[in-house]
Amino acid sequence: MKHGKRYIAAAEKIERGKVYETAEAFTKIQEIATAKFDETIEAHIKLGVDPRQADQQVRGTVVLPHGTGKNVRVLVIAKGDKADIAEKAGADIVGAEEIIAKIANENYLDFDVVITSPDMMGQLGRVARILGPRGLMPSPKSGTITQDIAKAIADTKAGKVEYRVDKTAIIHCIIGKKSFGPEKLKENFDTLLDAIVRAKPAAAKGTYLKSVFVAPAMGPGLKVNVRV
């Protein structure tokens, strides 16, 4: 893979082979995130699990103390009182059959998170093939199928993120923006890592946290020393 001059210049600021302490890593990120916009900062965590095994899946949600820095557009699929609650709780879009039809017929995807009540899941299944591959299909594990619509909206707007191990046993997750500064990024990172450690499957053997990297979206990663 070829990289541009800005990426190469940033990579030269990272000491080859060094494993950074967490606080130092986020200070260094302030130096290497040099894009002309407020770069998203990500964590990439390699786990010692076999994601092909059902009893070694790692998935959950956590509310980052400082949010993600992203304005999250929330779609709520609900009717009646729950629709009214969703509107009052600050959902960006609220609808039922008409929104499902719009997704199905027009490939409407102008939202980041879908929250629904259990009674609407039968109808929402019509668009599972559209929402699923994009990570937008509601699920109980992510807290997006719920009777408590207001809390789900509040948590999402406050910075709730979903972490999920992929087929290569890596979790990729946003932990904020460069503008947060080192301290807030570290607090978000620590919160995420603590949740992932607590989610360790009983069937996972050996070293659980294989490697942990943090990186700006447009720059190189730094390996972080984590002690669990």
Side-chain angles (χ1 to χ4, degrees):
M1 181 182 294
K2 293 183 178 180
H3 294 295
K5 292 181 179 179
R6 187 188 59 77
Y7 184 101
I8 293 171
E12 289 174 349
K13 296 178 181 179
I14 299 173
E15 188 176 331
R16 186 180 296 274
K18 179 173 180 176
V19 180
Y20 287 80
E21 296 301 322
T22 310
E24 185 184 11
F26 289 113
T27 297
K28 178 63 70 173
I29 275 180
Q30 302 298 306
E31 297 179 33
I32 66 173
T34 57
K36 294 181 180 179
F37 57 90
D38 191 9
E39 284 191 67
T40 295
I41 310 302
E42 305 166 345
H44 306 278
I45 303 167
K46 175 76 171 178
L47 299 180
V49 299
D50 182 353
R52 296 171 298 178
Q53 305 300 320
D55 61 356
Q56 294 190 44
Q57 292 294 312
V58 181
R59 181 180 182 182
T61 61
V62 62
V63 177
L64 301 180
H66 303 291
T68 63
K70 181 180 179 181
N71 181 26
V72 180
R73 288 181 57 80
V74 176
L75 164 64
V76 173
I77 304 293
K79 294 193 293 187
D81 291 344
K82 288 186 174 62
D84 294 337
I85 290 170
E87 290 179 353
K88 291 177 182 177
D92 298 281
I93 311 156
V94 180
E97 291 89 351
E98 73 282 5
I99 293 292
I100 295 172
K102 190 172 182 179
I103 294 170
N105 300 328
E106 303 175 26
N107 204 38
Y108 174 68
L109 294 167
D110 191 19
F111 44 83
D112 303 301
V113 175
V114 182
I115 296 170
T116 190
S117 53
D119 60 294
M120 293 299 297
M121 278 305 295
Q123 297 180 60
L124 198 56
R126 289 177 48 202
V127 291
R129 291 183 180 180
I130 298 173
L131 299 180
R134 295 170 174 83
L136 294 171
M137 192 66 186
S139 74
K141 288 185 177 180
S142 66
T144 47
I145 301 175
T146 178
Q147 295 286 6
D148 196 344
I149 297 289
K151 183 178 186 304
I153 294 170
D155 286 348
T156 300
K157 292 287 189 178
K160 183 175 77 171
V161 295
E162 181 178 8
Y163 57 86
R164 184 176 185 178
V165 69
D166 67 14
K167 61 182 180 181
T168 64
I170 300 175
I171 288 174
H172 308 276
C173 196
I174 293 172
I175 53 172
K177 296 282 189 177
K178 175 190 175 181
S179 60
F180 284 17
E183 291 185 8
K184 289 183 178 180
L185 286 171
K186 182 180 182 301
E187 289 174 14
N188 276 0
F189 171 79
D190 288 344
T191 300
L192 171 66
L193 195 67
D194 180 64
I196 292 171
V197 169
R198 286 188 283 107
K200 179 181 179 181
K205 305 301 180 184
T207 303
Y208 181 53
L209 297 178
K210 292 283 191 179
S211 66
V212 179
F213 285 80
V214 294
M218 304 296 292
L222 297 86
K223 190 172 186 179
V224 178
N225 183 24
V226 292
R227 301 181 181 87
V228 178

